[in-house]
Amino acid sequence: MNLKQLSDHLGLSQTTVSRALNGYPEVSERTRERVQNAAEKHGYSPNARARGLAMGRAQAIGHVLPLSAQHEMVNPVFGDFIAGAGEVYAGANYDLHLTLVPDGDEEAAYHKIAAKRSVDGIIVHGPRMQDPRIDLLGTLGLPFVVHGRASDVVAPYAWLDVDNTRAFFRAAQFLIDLRHRRIGLINGLEFMDFAHRRRLGYLRALEGAGLQVDPALMSSAEMTEINGHHAMRRMLALPSPPTAVLTASIMLAIGARRAVEDAGLTLGRDVSIITHDDDLSYLRNGQDVPLDGAPAGQNVPIFTATRSSVRDAGRRVAEMLLARIAQPGAAPETKLLEAELILGRSTGPCPHA
């Protein structure tokens, strides 16, 4: 049954029926109940897109991703984030609008989206230290939420982030407590805000323990398996190699583990690794060996890790953005999440302690 058929059945105008279904106050409660009961009885469901247009909305959320030679945004982390956000969009009858643009064309893409009014809001991914997209979206008047933060942007804006500094401070401190003194860092690209903050946490822990910061034990690159392998292999070849390493992602940790094993060393005994785990659906911090005495199905993760679900972050950011769209004049909301430090088989006491 369509709107006209429902209207004819009730003997009301299509405008009255539409207003009753969409909660307009000028429709009496008696008429509203009558229309809603008839719609339920005859299986009529209003078209979400048409309803959105009637309310001046596109019923879509935008995601603009650059196709960068420096930093690849279309990766497993983005996939899990979108899966979480998509659950919220679907529940609210919103569509996802994905725009892929060449490096350097983001500003033009945002102007085009704002002019066409093709989305009701934007989620900003992968913020840099000084991110021009934040000021731009504020100028364009597009509601937006940033997944992460931009340290050098002082204007208020809505964001959700993990406390990366605290997470890597705690991880480095854990290794220091295990009496490791040569601790490396295999990080992401440090013009990205999350990587900058993780480096800061690592440095604070070392300096707080009175340990020398050795630039040879620090690496910054795209978070891929091969880069993790290369960085770990280079560090292990040093005259005084690390006994422990922090890595910024599971992919880097997998590559670092491969380098440790290629060198004939044992993970967790000769070299300890702590990684950041986004709790990815298709790239789990797997269970290598059952934990002694643990119930069936409960195993030890491969890597000791700072864990924070990026899928859950997707849900939360989407909810924050929909709230901003509903109340555009509200003060920007910010949320800082704590990463959980989980113990795996990749860490142990310093072998030289």
Side-chain angles (χ1 to χ4, degrees):
M1 176 176 282
N2 58 32
L3 179 62
K4 183 179 185 307
Q5 291 169 331
L6 181 61
S7 302
D8 291 344
H9 172 76
L10 292 167
L12 299 170
S13 70
Q14 293 185 46
T15 300
T16 299
V17 171
S18 177
R19 287 178 177 271
L21 291 170
N22 287 294
Y24 282 78
E26 61 266 30
V27 180
S28 70
E29 188 62 31
R30 181 179 177 183
T31 300
R32 189 182 345 273
E33 288 182 4
R34 182 178 168 225
V35 170
Q36 289 174 341
N37 289 338
E40 185 176 342
K41 178 180 177 181
H42 295 283
Y44 173 75
S45 179
N47 182 279
R49 173 75 60 167
R51 182 171 58 190
L53 291 173
M55 298 171 68
R57 292 182 182 166
Q59 292 296 117
I61 301 298
H63 297 258
V64 178
L65 298 183
L67 297 173
S68 173
Q70 285 186 293
H71 180 59
E72 180 56 67
M73 285 298 301
V74 184
N75 54 37
V77 174
F78 175 74
D80 250 40
F81 181 93
I82 286 296
E87 294 173 17
V88 176
Y89 299 158
N93 290 315
Y94 271 78
D95 293 331
L96 186 154
H97 191 283
L98 179 61
T99 303
L100 300 178
V101 298
D103 229 0
D105 288 358
E106 280 186 90
E107 182 175 344
Y110 285 122
H111 278 286
K112 185 176 180 181
I113 288 170
K116 293 174 65 177
R117 300 179 65 86
S118 55
V119 302
D120 298 318
I122 294 284
I123 290 179
V124 177
H125 297 273
R128 305 186 178 201
M129 300 285 293
Q130 173 58 262
D131 202 307
R133 294 174 295 177
I134 294 171
D135 288 339
L136 173 62
L137 288 169
T139 301
L140 294 174
L142 275 171
F144 69 95
V145 177
V146 180
H147 179 213
R149 285 177 286 174
S151 296
D152 295 338
V153 175
V154 296
Y157 60 95
W159 55 261
L160 178 144
D161 197 12
V162 175
D163 194 339
N164 288 293
T165 302
R166 176 169 164 77
F168 268 49
F169 176 88
R170 289 177 64 205
Q173 187 63 60
F174 179 76
L175 293 171
I176 292 168
D177 290 343
L178 290 172
R179 304 188 68 183
H180 291 278
R181 296 298 178 261
R182 294 283 289 171
I183 302 172
L185 173 67
I186 302 177
N187 204 3
L189 294 164
E190 290 179 353
F191 59 78
M192 308 297 292
D193 195 86
F194 78 90
H196 165 76
R197 291 179 184 273
R198 290 176 187 176
R199 180 176 185 268
L200 187 61
Y202 159 82
L203 291 176
R204 284 179 180 173
L206 266 60
E207 291 165 357
L211 299 180
Q212 181 181 358
V213 176
D214 186 350
L217 295 185
M218 300 169 65
S219 170
S220 171
E222 183 74 52
M223 295 189 297
T224 63
E225 191 274 348
I226 194 67
N227 283 341
H229 180 267
H230 287 348
M232 186 78 253
R233 185 175 63 180
R234 178 185 61 78
M235 291 182 190
L236 291 175
L238 293 171
S240 181
T243 60
V245 171
L246 299 180
T247 71
S249 77
I250 284 286
M251 291 306 298
L252 289 171
I254 292 171
R257 178 191 185 184
R258 181 163 65 91
V260 168
E261 293 173 348
D262 287 349
L265 303 173
T266 301
L267 183 69
R269 187 188 68 192
D270 300 312
V271 180
S272 291
I273 293 177
I274 298 182
T275 190
H276 182 74
D277 177 15
D278 287 298
D279 198 20
L280 300 175
S281 301
Y282 297 100
L283 193 60
R284 294 287 186 188
N285 183 3
Q287 292 83 30
D288 249 357
V289 182
L291 179 65
D292 293 340
Q298 261 189 343
N299 298 324
V300 181
I302 295 173
F303 295 105
T304 296
T306 57
R307 176 176 288 173
S308 181
S309 168
V310 73
R311 189 170 188 141
D312 182 59
R315 295 188 193 99
R316 295 188 187 208
V317 171
E319 289 166 354
M320 289 171 64
L321 181 55
L322 294 182
R324 284 198 65 72
I325 292 168
Q327 294 183 301
E333 183 182 9
T334 62
K335 291 185 179 180
L336 185 61
L337 308 179
E338 288 288 343
E340 177 187 9
L341 182 62
I342 61 164
L343 300 182
R345 303 185 68 85
S346 66
T347 51
C350 176
H352 311 310

